[in-house]
Structures are given as C-alpha cells and as structure tokens.
Amino acid sequence: MATSPKKGNLNAQAFDTLRRDIISCTLKPGTTITEAWLTEHYALGKAAIRHALARLTQQGLTLNQGRLGYTVAPITIKSIRDSYQARRLIEPELCRLAAGRLDGDKLRALRDCSSASYDRNSAAEMIAFSQANHRFHCLIAHTAGNDRLARLIEELSDDHMRIAYVSMVYGQSSEYWNDDHAGIVAALESGCGDEAARLMTEHLASGEEAIMKAILNLPELLETSLSSS
C-alpha cells in the first residue's frame, strides 16, 4: 500500500527533526528515549516517530533497546578511531576511481560544498555545514562507480556529521575543510587520482586529530558517553 503524501510528509518531518537534534547533540549521546516521550516532546504522531526511529536505527544513530526504548548512539573514542580507519582505507581509493570522471554538474556541486561556511553561534548553520561536508564525500564516492562502497561511505558520513558538529562547537574552523576540499577537487578535475588520494589521506588524518582534540574538551560527553570502548 502506497504511503499517503500527508503521512509521508509527517514521517520525513519526524526523521529530519530527530536527526537534526541527534547531530547537534540536543539529544545527547547515550540518552535513553522512548516513543511516548518523543511523541509528546515533539508533538508528532506516534507512527511518524516510530518510522523515524527505525530509519535512525538503520543509520546507526540510535540503538533499539526493546522494551526499554531507544538509546542515542554513544560517541566513543573507539567509534571515532574505527570510523576514520575505515574511511582512510576506502576514500583515497574512491578518489582514484573518481578522478577524471566528474562532469560539470558534479564539479559545481563539489565546489558549492567546499565553499560552505558557518557561524559558531548558529546551530542551523553548523548543521548545514556538516551536511555540505557529508554531500562532498558522498558525491565523490558515488562518482567512483562502486555502489557498495558508496553506501558504506554514506553510513560512515551520517555518524561523522554528529562528531563534526561537536568539533565545530569547540573551535574547528570552516577554513580547515574548505582548503582541503578545494585541493581534492582540483586534483579530481585534472584526473590526478594519486594526488587526490594523497590529499584525501592527509585530510582524513588531520581531521581525526582535530576532532579528537575537540571532542576531549567536551566534559559533559566525556562523563556519559566517551570511553575507550
């Protein structure tokens, strides 16, 4: 049975709202949430909340705890390290595959993502910036032509948006991403796959270092969610 437009809109609204609040840590990592509480708190229907939670769980942003409800996926030192390790193994090779395959529309989209900026006093701008960063990496992955690896990068980038948001709150500037991204785009456009791969490797390594410094300055998360496991 097809989903009605109204129901589909409510489902999308619930998903976008919860995803935004998880990315911005309004719903803090490690927090237990229930369908009943979310329905009342966000004034959205129970069916829409249930649909949103199913999608968020599929993306790894929430964990289904059965009768206890759901837990906002914790940010752990190990999860950050594991995510970056996987990305360092995959994304440079995707750059090699994508080099020289970008048409005008894709190049413009990458440049638009690279030029995004934000004001640390604006949560909406930081979320929009993290989404632009997400699109940048996913577009390269899809251009490479390997659908399975592209889906994996999308999954890793979804969780990375939340980690990146925290690093922005604690001082990482937009210039860091913009400068690195511009260099990667130039290498991809010129067809220099090895150079694009090298720049992506350096970008991910410096990103991990900066994010670890930022995340360790967040005591309220350290007390409840950050651990070595």
Side-chain angles (χ1 to χ4, degrees):
M1 182 181 295
T3 301
S4 69
K6 183 177 180 181
K7 184 176 180 180
N9 289 339
L10 285 174
N11 288 346
Q13 180 186 352
F15 172 74
D16 290 341
T17 300
L18 294 183
R19 184 168 178 261
R20 178 199 65 208
D21 283 357
I22 289 172
I23 290 171
S24 67
C25 295
T26 300
L27 292 172
K28 290 184 178 181
T31 299
T32 298
I33 51 179
T34 65
E35 288 183 9
W37 182 84
L38 292 170
T39 300
E40 179 179 359
H41 182 75
Y42 289 99
L44 293 166
K46 188 173 182 179
I49 290 294
R50 183 177 296 130
H51 182 271
L53 286 168
R55 287 184 65 188
L56 291 165
T57 299
Q58 186 178 28
Q59 292 187 2
L61 292 174
T62 56
L63 306 173
N64 190 335
Q65 304 291 354
R67 293 182 179 180
L68 297 176
Y70 291 78
T71 300
V72 178
I75 297 174
T76 67
I77 293 173
K78 186 177 187 301
S79 72
I80 296 171
R81 297 294 194 199
D82 286 353
S83 176
Y84 268 101
Q85 182 181 48
R87 294 181 67 186
R88 285 196 303 272
L89 289 171
I90 298 168
E91 291 199 62
E93 185 58 32
L94 290 175
C95 283
R96 288 191 178 92
L97 294 172
R101 300 179 63 178
L102 293 163
D103 58 25
D105 288 341
K106 289 178 180 176
L107 280 169
R108 280 190 291 274
L110 286 174
R111 290 193 177 108
D112 285 345
C113 293
S114 299
S115 65
S117 61
Y118 63 87
D119 180 344
R120 281 205 298 272
N121 295 315
S122 171
E125 286 189 18
M126 287 192 290
I127 290 173
F129 183 87
S130 65
Q131 289 171 338
N133 182 61
H134 171 84
R135 288 194 299 273
F136 179 88
H137 288 270
C138 290
L139 182 56
I140 292 173
H142 281 286
T143 302
N146 188 311
D147 292 340
R148 289 190 177 185
L149 289 179
R151 286 195 295 270
L152 178 57
I153 292 303
E154 285 184 346
E155 178 185 332
L156 291 169
S157 292
D158 277 335
D159 189 54
H160 182 77
M161 281 197 289
R162 180 171 57 148
I163 299 168
Y165 180 92
V166 172
S167 75
M168 286 186 275
V169 171
Y170 280 82
Q172 192 171 20
S173 71
S174 59
E175 285 79 7
Y176 153 72
W177 274 298
N178 293 351
D179 291 346
D180 282 4
H181 285 179
I184 293 168
V185 172
L188 290 172
E189 182 179 13
S190 64
C192 299
D194 288 342
E195 176 65 5
R198 182 187 69 79
L199 291 171
M200 180 63 79
T201 299
E202 292 179 355
H203 171 62
L204 293 172
S206 59
E208 180 179 8
E209 180 181 0
I211 282 175
M212 288 303 299
K213 287 180 180 178
I215 206 85
L216 291 172
N217 285 325
L218 199 59
E220 61 267 33
L221 291 184
L222 281 167
E223 291 172 4
T224 57
S225 304
L226 280 175
S227 66
S228 59
S229 61

